[in-house]
Amino acid sequence: MRVLVVGSGGREHALAWALSASPLLTKLWVAPGNPGTALVAENVGIAALHIERLVQFAREHAVDLVVPGPEGPLVAGLADAMAQAGICCIGPTAAAARLEGSKAFAKQLCNDAGIPTALWEQFTDVEEARAFIRRRGAPVVVKADGLASGKGVVVAATVEAAEAALDAIMRDRSFGDSGASVVIEECLMGEEISLFALCDGTDAVFLGAAQDHKRLGDGDIGPNTGGMGALSPVPGFDPGPAMDGFIRPALAEMARRGTPFRGILFAGLMLTADGAKLIEYNVRFGDPECQVLLPRLRSDLLPALLAACDGELGRFDLRWNAGAAVAVVMAAPGYPAAPEPGSDIGDLSAAAAVPGALVFQAGTRLDSGRLLADGGRVLTICGTGADAAAARAVAYQAVEAVPWTEGIYRTDIGVRSQYK
Ligand code: AMP
Ligand code: GLY
């Protein structure tokens, strides 16, 4: 099998790492990749959103399977373009990627399919939205309808903060056309869980669950980020009811509408006092969740992705390693607002040599043989072990073996699970 992974983050490094272990693999490329993916695959200098060039490359190199990491290319039609060229791509069509590309679309689907979610209203008029916020009061959640690189959601503690978010999204168009409409929702309280399923349009297989740590600082304080660390499995979480409540009905409704969902469906759930409720759907693996799920996967990832492409997941089962994985993200100083590029990361071999540890690269760059920080989230250091505490100890031992002194990270990833 000749496989092309699309993307350049820690998630894509983990995907390339997992695929590179498959006995079915003959050649692996990552576009555009990073210095980490270059250790397990060949990097191709094509941006993830350059769909035409990706299709051309896949054609010219007889690629058998395309594995997209991020949502952007999927929402922009990467899977459709590959299908037209007769190339298998394990991701949803643009029509099915609306599950992530439009919050209002996902919320309407929840209502139509009876999937529990926060109460919501959609607005295209800023003054009507403002009046609704004032009537409803705080706390309240304001979301740009379209994609906003994970930054278009504000959980507002006060009416003033909600109105400021509304003005930024709708009036100032901080996220461009993604703010042409907003969804305003009830604020849910509880533990958040990321649930993953591999889907073939009809059937779904559980791909693991993880707990992300979104806030920048220890103890869940500071600004929201793309995710500062993750833990899998989630102690006490039973995936069976969640698959039946949030994945299967969404698949059935998408198929009923004539836009079946094929690919990785990520349900962000809030475990509230009233039971689990959907926060959002994503149409891809999470980052850093992917980095804790794949090290736990005992089965070969490649045949699973192919079965999903071929609509044959009904007969498929995945096996998992016992134990747990903890991933710690190391970010550049200034992240998330203004990460400083260019600091020297140094030699990662001591970290990678810690037994049970895996080092995934994201925002890194090689300059005359020196590895430099070149983005917000720079490294994901993953530890595996018999349980969360053991995995955590491995992860932090490896973090301490990274010579990069400027890197910032949380020291409490996966800690909470120990109290459960
Ligand atoms: P999203 O981009 O939809 O994942 O939202 C980002 C984060 O905002 C989520 O991970 C939650 O922590 C928070 N969030 C989103 N919607 C809600 C809600 N209705 N109630 C409480 N928190 C929310
Ligand atoms: N870590 C959350 C996400 O990938 O959306």
Side-chain angles (χ1 to χ4, degrees):
M1 299 294 304
R2 298 160 69 79
V3 180
L4 171 65
V5 172
V6 176
S8 62
R11 167 182 52 204
E12 289 76 18
H13 187 177
L15 280 166
W17 166 79
L19 290 167
S20 71
S22 173
L24 297 179
L25 187 83
T26 46
K27 178 73 191 176
L28 183 62
W29 294 273
V30 185
N34 63 44
T37 62
L39 303 173
V40 291
E42 183 182 333
N43 285 349
V44 181
I46 304 175
L49 278 168
H50 212 131
I51 292 178
E52 260 172 53
R53 287 191 57 204
L54 290 171
V55 171
Q56 190 190 353
F57 178 89
R59 262 209 192 106
E60 283 171 7
H61 294 80
V63 167
D64 297 299
L65 177 69
V66 178
V67 183
E71 66 279 8
L74 293 166
V75 171
L78 176 65
D80 310 68
M82 289 293 175
Q84 260 174 23
I87 298 159
C88 201
C89 174
I90 184 59
T93 59
R98 298 236 317 137
L99 269 178
E100 177 163 1
S102 164
K103 308 261 187 212
F105 178 92
K107 298 294 286 190
Q108 189 59 50
L109 181 119
C110 286
N111 287 11
D112 293 350
I115 296 167
T117 190
L119 296 174
W120 65 286
E121 292 278 345
Q122 181 187 12
F123 296 92
T124 52
D125 181 279
V126 66
E127 292 316 321
E128 281 177 27
R130 192 185 313 282
F132 180 74
I133 288 171
R134 287 183 182 167
R135 218 163 46 237
R136 257 207 117 262
V140 68
V141 183
V142 182
K143 301 185 172 184
D145 185 18
L147 291 185
S149 310
K151 295 180 188 128
V153 173
V154 175
V155 181
T158 62
V159 167
E160 291 70 31
E163 286 191 48
L166 177 69
D167 285 331
I169 293 169
M170 285 199 100
R171 196 191 56 198
D172 308 339
R173 290 292 164 93
S174 307
F175 310 106
D177 287 345
S178 289
S181 110
V182 288
V183 167
I184 298 178
E185 340 185 311
E186 164 197 18
C187 185
L188 301 174
M189 307 286 181
E191 287 282 319
E192 265 186 79
I193 299 231
S194 305
L195 168 72
F196 297 87
L198 181 60
C199 306
D200 70 0
T202 312
D203 287 306
V205 173
F206 176 58
L207 251 191
Q211 208 153 21
D212 191 5
H213 297 58
K214 293 210 178 210
R215 301 295 191 121
L216 181 68
D218 283 358
D220 286 330
I221 53 160
N224 252 319
T225 70
M228 293 300 290
L231 163 73
S232 180
V234 182
F237 176 72
D238 181 2
M243 290 289 291
D244 288 339
F246 297 94
I247 301 293
R248 297 204 168 90
L251 277 192
E253 177 63 18
M254 290 300 280
R256 193 190 65 75
R257 294 179 178 194
T259 51
F261 185 92
R262 199 174 65 171
I264 286 138
L265 187 55
F266 165 177
L269 305 180
M270 187 80 88
L271 306 184
T272 75
D274 287 341
K277 294 193 179 178
L278 186 95
I279 299 172
E280 62 165 357
Y281 286 115
N282 296 305
V283 300
R284 50 165 176 85
F285 268 117
D287 187 340
E289 288 96 325
C290 184
Q291 294 92 303
V292 286
L293 298 182
L294 295 183
R296 294 188 49 241
L297 182 64
R298 183 189 291 262
S299 301
D300 187 349
L301 178 64
L302 185 46
L305 299 181
L306 290 169
C309 261
D310 293 343
E312 287 174 358
L313 274 186
R315 289 179 274 125
F316 218 87
D317 207 12
L318 290 174
R319 289 182 309 138
W320 298 88
N321 293 321
V326 166
V328 179
V329 169
M330 298 184 78
Y335 177 74
E340 276 170 39
S343 51
D344 211 321
I345 296 168
D347 183 357
L348 294 174
S349 54
V354 171
L358 292 158
V359 174
F360 297 118
Q361 299 188 32
T364 58
R365 165 170 79 85
L366 273 175
D367 185 357
S368 315
R370 284 162 63 226
L371 190 66
L372 305 180
D374 191 34
R377 293 186 293 174
V378 173
L379 303 171
T380 309
I381 312 293
C382 182
T384 55
D387 56 24
R392 204 175 107 72
V394 171
Y396 281 106
Q397 192 190 336
V399 165
E400 274 152 35
V402 173
W404 186 34
T405 47
E406 289 87 351
I408 56 172
Y409 58 90
R410 280 180 63 158
T411 65
D412 62 349
I413 304 299
V415 164
R416 251 185 321 175
S417 74
Q418 292 176 25
Y419 300 103
K420 288 194 176 166

